[in-house]
Amino acid sequence: MMCENCGKRPATVHYTQIINGVKTEMHLCEVCAKQKGTIEFDAPFSVTNFLAGFLEPAFGAQIIKPAFETQITCKGCGMTFEEFKRSGRFGCAMCYNSFSEKLYPILRRIHGNTKHVGKIPTKMGENLAIKREIDRLKIELNVAIKNEEFEKAAEIRDKIRELEKKLSRE
Amino acid sequence: MDDVVVTSRIRLARNLSDVPFTIKMNDYDAGLVIDRVRDVISKNSQYRFDFYEIRKLPFLKRQVLIEKHLISPALVSSKIKSAVAIDQNENISIMINEEDHLRIQVLYRGQNIQKAWEDANRIDDFLEEQLPYAYDETWGYLTSCPTNVGTGLRASFMLHLPALTLLGYMKEIIETITKLGIAVRGFYGEGSEVLGNLYQISNQITLGQPEEDIIANVVSITNQIIEQERQARLKLLNESSSFIADKVYRAYGILKYARNISSNEALKLISDVRMGISMGIIKETTIDKLDVLLNLIQPAILQDYFGKEMTPEERDIKRAELIRKILE
């Protein structure tokens, strides 16, 4: 068999890729294989294609989308939602918030879930604990005000301010 | 060594919050990420890492790293600057600027997933202390592809399943475990072919379950497959012992005496002999030796072993020579 790229030398590097049962083969000579580094395939079925499928309405009904909907753009990297649909990849950390509304149904269909319950980074963990403490103190503050315990309320207010300062420093 | 589990692997996908993800990155950003990560890794006192910029590596060395499963083909074909840090025991690799800024990978031989997870988690903690991770309270670790978001965790086993394959059970098993959120892949991961009856199985879901549960799920399904493979080997041994004995001894004979052998043929034969050892048929060699061969017969590792570039024809001769030497 001759090299599929140059057609001059015998093919000695054989790549086979199987995605969802569809087999793609490439036969190259060493020289062409080296030039290419590794071979990139046009995968017939990639995660990207399937992601695009996730975004379509479930029962095949073509819904005409209002123009504004197709023009959501990430403020962080300028990626449009259309771009994400094509590549299946986000451009930056902010994309998750920029596209959050559209993301929930996608994540539900991929993972059956939309909420992370795993590891919390230590740094982030401290902040989370502070935020939870602030929420708790705010409830306590309201109770104190209701009961007209103003000295206690002032104390709680100071605690909240202190914690908020700590948060903004982080 | 393990009769069914060849390797256990944990991978964590991580990104920095203050740089675009790799799909939107230019070479300048990519270089900065590499420098920052290299700087942090060099401060680590627990492990000693060697650092390689992929573009600066010769073709052969890149292929060796792929064949050793230390880097992915995607890292090599990356359009931007990419790099990898590899610990001296070659169990841990940290890929930089693959699909995500960071891919922490720990790989051990045999059934060692817990140890792999502990190492990966420790390295993750260390990196997180000094790098601003992209993390969200709701969505967890933010990854380039939404299929990895949450824990960013992939737990996988490379399983040797010759008996289930021979008996034609694999199609059904794959269909069943896919429904349970488990992916089945070939020898070199996503999109690669099943070679030598080696199957890679891993979790697909990364969001909505804690890391320990995800790992436990893959372990539990793996244990069931291991049990089925052992049953299948027994079945073969009981019902077709002379056929199996002939098959595995033929494979052993070819490996021991061949003068010219391709990597694909060698893989198939090693698979047969490996099964023969676990069934107690072949006592002349060990699974450990076969697992060493499994690595060494691959084209780039073979050339690296002999310290020179070879044509495919030269390789087939040298491969046969090396196999004979190890099986002696």
Side-chain angles (χ1 to χ4, degrees), chain B residues 216-246:
Chain B
N217 188 29
V218 183
V219 169
S220 129
I221 287 167
T222 300
N223 283 342
Q224 291 176 55
I225 297 174
I226 294 171
E227 192 44 44
Q228 289 188 39
E229 170 64 22
R230 287 183 183 150
Q231 292 295 329
R233 289 183 194 180
L234 268 182
K235 187 179 159 78
L236 282 176
L237 199 57
N238 290 337
E239 292 172 13
S240 359
S241 64
S242 63
F243 164 77
I244 285 299
D246 181 65

Side-chain angles (χ1 to χ4, degrees), chain B residues 50-51 104 115 122 165 167 178 274 276 282:
Chain B
D50 290 320
F51 204 91
I104 304 162
K115 188 164 152 55
R122 197 176 310 126
T165 309
L167 290 171
T178 307
R274 204 180 184 281
I282 293 182

Side-chain angles (χ1 to χ4, degrees), chain A residues 12 15-19 23 30 33-34 37-38 40 47 51 77-79 83-84 87-94 96-97 100 103-104 106-107 110-124 128 131, chain B residues 17 20-24 59 63 66 73 76-77 79 99 121 124-125 128-129 131 134-147 149-151 190-191 193 204-211 309-310 312 315:
Chain A
T12 52
Y15 286 85
T16 312
Q17 161 164 301
I18 300 171
I19 295 174
K23 197 165 175 174
E30 292 246 318
K34 264 184 199 179
T38 47
E40 281 180 59
V47 172
L51 271 181
C77 63
M79 179 174 268
E83 232 179 307
F84 164 67
S87 67
R89 304 225 214 133
F90 289 120
C92 72
M94 277 173 80
Y96 276 88
N97 279 330
S100 68
L103 204 51
Y104 279 104
I106 300 172
L107 292 179
I110 298 174
H111 299 286
N113 225 306
T114 56
K115 176 106 184 79
H116 175 61
V117 293
K119 189 173 172 178
I120 301 169
T122 323
K123 266 193 252 166
M124 211 65 77
L128 265 182
K131 276 184 201 163
Chain B
S17 58
F21 289 170
T22 58
I23 190 176
K24 281 274 187 188
F59 177 80
Q63 295 300 316
I66 292 176
V76 169
S77 57
K79 291 185 178 72
E99 186 178 290
N121 199 21
D124 183 42
D125 286 344
E128 180 247 314
E129 262 173 47
L131 295 165
Y135 181 88
D136 181 275
E137 282 177 37
T138 307
W139 290 310
Y141 294 94
L142 304 179
T143 52
S144 174
C145 183
T147 54
V149 76
T151 58
E190 196 168 335
E193 194 176 11
Q204 269 177 316
I205 289 165
T206 56
L207 184 67
Q209 285 176 15
E211 287 80 356
E309 287 199 34
M310 292 182 264
R315 284 205 301 259

